[in-house]
Amino acid sequence: MTLQEYDYARESPSKLAASCLLLALTMKNLGGWTPTLEYYSGYRCQDLHPLVKRLNFLLTYQPHDKLKAVRTKYSHRVFFEVAKVTPIDMLKLEEMLRSC
């Protein structure tokens, strides 16, 4: 979805990928940012917080009337219906990020 948003073009692809991973881990309650992830990504959890919040905001407040191709594609069971996953409440996300 970030490919369709100009605001994310200035972000480093590795930082964007790391932030997406952290958000996914948080959304699915699969643990936090481990020392191994920090080592191999080069990013501390705190470095990713602002971008993770922006990504969750994008998921929460996306326009549903335009650019539906990505949402439709990833709503299919072949892609595990990841587009249908409910975003985290912003306050809950903030609380979860503080703990990492």
Side-chain angles (χ1 to χ4, degrees), residues 8-68:
Y8 294 92
R10 65 177 175 228
E11 297 294 342
S12 159
S14 62
K15 188 172 185 179
L16 187 58
S19 297
C20 288
L21 178 59
L22 178 56
L23 180 59
L25 290 171
T26 305
M27 289 173 80
K28 299 300 272 179
N29 292 321
L30 296 174
W33 201 245
T34 65
T36 303
L37 289 170
E38 183 177 328
Y39 176 79
Y40 285 107
S41 71
Y43 296 106
R44 296 178 307 129
C45 185
Q46 293 79 11
D47 299 336
L48 303 175
H49 287 187
L51 189 51
V52 169
K53 291 176 193 175
R54 285 179 47 217
L55 289 167
N56 192 59
F57 186 84
L58 175 67
L59 290 174
T60 305
Y61 299 105
Q62 61 186 314
H64 292 285
D65 56 337
K66 297 180 183 177
L67 305 172
K68 293 183 179 183

